[in-house]
Amino acid sequence: TVDVAVRGNEARLLKAAQNPKAALAADPVYEPPHAAHTDERPVVIGFGPGGMFAALALALAGLRPIVLERGLDAAARHEKVLEFWRTGTLDPASNVQFGEGGAGTFSDGKLNTGVNDPRIRWILEQFAAAGADESILWDAKPHIGTDVLLTVVQNLRKRILALGGEVRFGAQVTGLLQENGRLTGLEVREGGSVSVLPCRRAVLAIGHSARDTFEMLLQSGVPMEPKAFSMGVRIEHRQAMVNASQYGAFADRLGAADYKLNARFPDGTSAYTFCMCPGGHVVAAAS
């Protein structure tokens, strides 16, 4: 996709071009919402991508959010993951799934999405401002890389802190306190002790691996519904074969090639490729 600035009337030029693939470029602009001043601090549960950007948006709105993350900060978590890969010794609270940056921290920081939303550009800009390569602002399939992402997520946290937010690692929400059907507080386990954090508004950004938290929410009467899912298989190709099929004679001069396929069948079902790691390494998300 190429975005072109032209002299003259864009609509008239577009009509004269008679090209069905050409369209007026929309420049989506997203501004995080503003909020009225309040001493009541919202709580964000989980510090993966969802929790991180929820906390950033709340901090930019002046609401000084408190983030509770059961895992550890990126540097300490990285050591835990390396230890698990070397020895098989697992820390159940801080691993490939849990900790600063969420599971995405160890998935090469791929930023692909099929969703069309004006907030996407804003999110990419925040990543770039936190140290990601600026190519993510124009690359069709942007990724940051796990080695860089470890620094980027820490920089995003520092920005949240500078805006008055608070991030507490090793803090797991184990219960909800309610009164007349409304949230009044959170039961939080930190180290070997459990305390109550007064709270009326909480954002659940717990990912898909916190099974114990889902069980607690169900027992607490929080309405939930099952989400549709796709069955997946892993296909491995030699990179040289993919490069040759995509680039032909130029395969030895270009970088690692990728591809994307999808098909719909008469019965309404479909099959599609979801995630690809061209030229990279497949990291097991075992816990």
Side-chain angles (χ1 to χ4, degrees), residues 2 26 84 103 119 121 128 148 157 167 195-196 216 228 237 244 249 276:
V2 181
F84 174 60
R119 289 172 290 190
R121 174 74 186 185
V148 177
R157 185 219 320 161
V167 181
S195 61
V196 172
M216 178 273 291
H237 299 300
M276 193 173 177

Side-chain angles (χ1 to χ4, degrees), residues 52-53 126-127 130 152-160:
M52 188 168 284
F53 282 98
Q126 308 319 303
F127 274 131
V152 169
V153 295
Q154 293 179 77
N155 288 340
L156 285 168
R157 185 219 320 161
K158 290 173 185 175
R159 188 175 173 200
I160 292 167

Side-chain angles (χ1 to χ4, degrees), residues 114-128:
V115 176
N116 186 14
D117 190 292
R119 289 172 290 190
I120 292 171
R121 174 74 186 185
W122 179 80
I123 286 173
L124 294 176
E125 288 170 350
Q126 308 319 303
F127 274 131

Side-chain angles (χ1 to χ4, degrees), residues 27-93:
D27 295 316
V29 177
Y30 171 73
E31 285 289 338
H34 300 284
H37 177 73
T38 175
D39 291 329
E40 187 180 317
R41 300 178 72 179
V43 177
V44 177
I45 304 170
F47 203 46
M52 188 168 284
F53 282 98
L56 179 58
L58 290 167
L60 288 167
L63 293 177
R64 300 179 303 118
I66 299 171
V67 179
L68 304 176
E69 167 55 54
R70 69 196 294 175
L72 300 179
D73 64 273
R77 178 190 178 200
H78 189 228
E79 289 301 314
K80 292 282 187 181
V81 171
L82 291 179
E83 181 185 1
F84 174 60
W85 287 344
R86 282 195 304 262
T87 68
T89 302
L90 175 73
D91 183 339

Side-chain angles (χ1 to χ4, degrees), residues 2-42:
V2 181
D3 192 350
V4 182
V6 298
R7 290 192 180 92
N9 185 302
E10 285 185 325
R12 190 178 300 164
L13 287 169
L14 195 62
K15 187 177 180 181
Q18 295 184 338
N19 186 336
K21 292 186 177 181
L24 290 175
D27 295 316
V29 177
Y30 171 73
E31 285 289 338
H34 300 284
H37 177 73
T38 175
D39 291 329
E40 187 180 317
R41 300 178 72 179

Side-chain angles (χ1 to χ4, degrees), residues 57 74 101 121 123 132 145 199 225 233 246 257 260 269:
R121 174 74 186 185
I123 286 173
C199 169
E225 63 182 43
V233 297
Q246 296 292 73
K260 185 174 182 178
T269 59

